[in-house]
Amino acid sequence: MSRIGKLPVEGGSATLSLADGVLTAKGPKGELTLPIVDDVNAELDGNAVTFTPRDESKRARAMWGTMRARAQNMVIGVTDGYEKELELVGVGYRAQLKGEKLALQLGFSHEIKYKVPKGIAIKIEKQTKIKISGSNKELVSKTASEIKALKPVEPYKAKGIKEKNQYVIRKEGKKK
């Protein structure tokens, strides 16, 4: 029995609605929708939604907790939003926003341009600090992951793009 799946998702300041197998959450940060999979039943009671598995199959029990967690992330996203901070570590590494594109100088001979997805807001606090925010947790995390993949942190000097407070395991250099 799923301990997470049993808990109801409270709407709080978001308005929840359920129609034709699609859960919709509206809040101050926008509107998100979540299609409910066939293996799970969703019931709306006031401004709270509860999930139950349709049968005792392994997939239904797995999707029970997953749907509840995704619904909770959706409610948090439309009320508070999600945010990730990235740091550029290295000599000459910098970022700037040029319209809808993020221009990154990461020690290559050319500038790397990353197209910012719709629904994502990027702020450049300093030239080496990038703040990614949005209402969709999956999209914010995916965007941060794609930007980090442009120049992964290397273990010898810890140069590259990393998340704020990310611990990098350092390696010892060559010995004489």
Side-chain angles (χ1 to χ4, degrees), residues 29-79:
K29 299 271 184 177
E31 179 179 340
L32 292 174
T33 59
L34 175 68
I36 307 296
V37 294
D38 294 334
D39 298 320
V40 178
N41 292 324
E43 296 174 14
L44 192 63
D45 181 34
N47 203 26
V49 66
T50 54
F51 296 94
T52 54
R54 285 244 163 104
D55 52 27
E56 287 300 313
S57 68
K58 190 171 184 173
R59 176 170 164 73
R61 288 182 289 128
M63 293 309 292
W64 178 22
T66 301
M67 293 308 294
R68 192 256 177 223
R70 290 186 65 196
Q72 180 70 36
N73 289 341
M74 191 171 65
V75 169
I76 293 170
V78 296
T79 54

Side-chain angles (χ1 to χ4, degrees), residues 8-19 23-26 42-50 75:
V9 176
E10 299 290 333
S13 63
T15 307
L16 297 176
S17 61
L18 183 66
L23 181 66
T24 306
K26 292 180 187 173
E43 296 174 14
L44 192 63
D45 181 34
N47 203 26
V49 66
T50 54
V75 169

Side-chain angles (χ1 to χ4, degrees), residues 36-155:
I36 307 296
V37 294
D38 294 334
D39 298 320
V40 178
N41 292 324
E43 296 174 14
L44 192 63
D45 181 34
N47 203 26
V49 66
T50 54
F51 296 94
T52 54
R54 285 244 163 104
D55 52 27
E56 287 300 313
S57 68
K58 190 171 184 173
R59 176 170 164 73
R61 288 182 289 128
M63 293 309 292
W64 178 22
T66 301
M67 293 308 294
R68 192 256 177 223
R70 290 186 65 196
Q72 180 70 36
N73 289 341
M74 191 171 65
V75 169
I76 293 170
V78 296
T79 54
D80 300 330
Y82 287 98
E83 189 174 275
K84 289 215 178 219
E85 292 183 36
L86 300 179
E87 296 174 346
L88 279 68
V89 180
V91 177
Y93 288 20
R94 58 182 165 265
Q96 55 186 168
L97 210 51
K98 293 182 179 176
E100 292 292 313
K101 293 191 177 185
L102 178 68
L104 299 162
Q105 292 177 347
L106 302 172
F108 299 119
S109 61
H110 59 285
E111 185 176 76
I112 297 173
K113 292 184 177 144
Y114 179 80
K115 188 174 185 308
V116 179
K118 221 174 174 185
I120 295 293
I122 292 186
K123 278 186 184 174
I124 309 293
E125 292 178 349
K126 288 197 239 169
Q127 289 183 338
T128 58
K129 299 215 185 286
I130 303 170
K131 200 177 260 190
I132 304 166
S133 59
S135 60
N136 189 340
K137 183 178 184 177
E138 293 175 30
L139 191 57
V140 169
S141 298
K142 181 180 179 223
T143 303
S145 176
E146 287 174 351
I147 292 172
K148 281 177 19 181
L150 296 173
K151 185 75 173 186
V153 180
E154 53 95 15

